[in-house]
Amino acid sequence: MLLGLAAIWGASFMFIKVAVREISPATLIAGRLGLAALTLALLLPFTVGMRDTARQLLASWRWLVVVALVNTALPFWLLSWGETRIDSGLASIIQAAVPIFNALIAFVAFREVRVTGSRLVGVGVGFVGVALLVGAQPEGKMLGALAIVGMAFCYGLGGLLAGRHLTPAKPIVVAFATTAISTVVALPAAVIQAPSEAPGWKTIGSVVVLGVPGTALAYLLFFGLITGAGAAYASLVTYLIPPIALAYGAVFLDERFGAAAFGGLALILAGVALGTGVPLRGYFTRGVRGKPAAAGPRPTDR
């Protein structure tokens, strides 16, 4: 399941790159999130029940709106816009810094999950990797790289807000509400920026893949991993997504990456391991049987 989830989310960067060649980022995220919300809505009666879903939505609607904006609508747009300017593989490397931002924001404003001591060294190492990647970009691509950094910051903050305020709601309810709210937010710009002619089959197919398996079904896989093997084991997807996305970009999009990209990736992943206390070694063998309890880095809601 872990490799399947990484393969799905790793491919998302490639499909975004394909889609934004013909449609605007707003149109892309409205289509993607609309399909995800519809898919999750069809599953809710069988997983939670309509009465419990309505109760949870009413109880948490204010924070659902906030988390939808911070953790879905804005970062999805930043990622899509950023990929109009930089390669999909590079975007996947920068997004791996989400746990670094998570740890930094927690240190400043979320005392209950604050990291201290040697883990702060990991935060510093990760930021060096991000700075290396962004600084290595030519002037025309700098804004695109910074947009992905902004996306990582949003995911870091959104995950902390969800952890503090949305734990009473079931994950699939949160996923449905945030995708549905974000669709409504993106819809006006999506309509205004819609292409004058119907996009090609590659673009339409990319939006469908991003919406159904890439968002809705990936959520279910991820939360299934958390339930079955533990949060720390599920969090290992953070390490697997960048190399898989790099492979997709190289094979299907003819993207090429230099020493700065791989050096930045190494520093970011090392920072994630140090800053969150989730080393790679041991979890692949102990994850299912041991069900480690410590929460690891939170992967993005790509």
Side-chain angles (χ1 to χ4, degrees):
M1 284 180 67
L2 185 71
L3 289 175
L5 180 61
I8 291 171
W9 272 342
S12 295
F13 296 90
M14 175 184 67
F15 286 115
I16 289 171
K17 188 69 174 179
V18 172
V20 294
R21 291 171 178 171
E22 286 195 86
I23 60 177
S24 70
T27 303
L28 168 59
I29 64 173
R32 175 185 182 179
L33 293 175
L35 287 170
L38 178 60
T39 303
L40 292 167
L42 294 174
L43 294 173
L44 279 171
F46 306 100
T47 55
V48 180
M50 298 311 296
R51 181 175 296 179
D52 284 343
T53 297
R55 177 181 55 80
Q56 293 174 38
L57 291 174
L58 287 173
S60 303
W61 70 268
R62 290 179 179 84
W63 283 108
L64 285 169
V65 172
V66 173
V67 171
L69 296 175
V70 174
N71 198 59
T72 304
L74 181 55
F76 270 51
W77 185 87
L78 287 169
L79 173 59
S80 301
W81 186 85
E83 285 206 43
T84 64
R85 286 157 172 79
I86 65 172
D87 290 339
S88 64
L90 178 60
S92 74
I93 295 174
I94 298 176
Q95 69 80 38
V98 169
I100 302 298
F101 284 100
N102 191 287
L104 178 64
I105 297 168
F107 179 79
V108 174
F110 291 76
R111 294 178 178 271
E112 66 272 23
V113 289
R114 172 182 291 184
V115 298
T116 57
S118 61
R119 292 189 179 185
L120 290 177
V121 176
V123 175
V125 171
F127 270 110
V128 170
V130 173
L132 173 64
L133 283 171
V134 175
Q137 301 310 304
E139 185 175 350
K141 296 185 177 182
M142 182 74 73
L143 287 178
L146 289 174
I148 310 302
V149 173
M151 176 209 71
F153 177 87
C154 288
Y155 278 141
L157 176 59
L160 290 167
L161 290 173
R164 175 181 284 182
H165 299 288
L166 295 180
T167 49
K170 292 188 176 181
I172 190 173
V173 175
V174 176
F176 162 72
T178 53
T179 53
I181 293 167
S182 298
T183 302
V184 173
V185 171
L187 199 56
V191 172
I192 293 172
Q193 298 175 19
S196 56
E197 298 180 356
W201 67 268
K202 289 183 179 180
T203 299
I204 295 173
S206 294
V207 174
V208 172
V209 171
L210 286 166
V212 182
T215 303
L217 298 185
Y219 273 131
L220 300 181
L221 275 177
F222 176 60
F223 292 124
L225 277 171
I226 291 177
T227 301
Y233 181 73
S235 73
L236 290 174
V237 72
T238 301
Y239 298 92
L240 297 175
I241 288 172
I244 290 175
L246 286 170
Y248 281 132
V251 173
F252 297 106
L253 301 177
D254 198 29
E255 296 178 349
R256 296 292 181 266
F257 306 96
F262 291 105
L265 174 61
L267 288 171
I268 289 171
L269 294 186
V272 169
L274 291 170
T276 62
V278 183
L280 279 172
R281 188 173 65 182
Y283 277 108
F284 281 108
T285 56
R286 294 191 297 113
V288 175
R289 295 191 299 274
K291 292 185 180 181
R298 180 183 182 277
T300 66
D301 304 323
R302 296 152 189 86

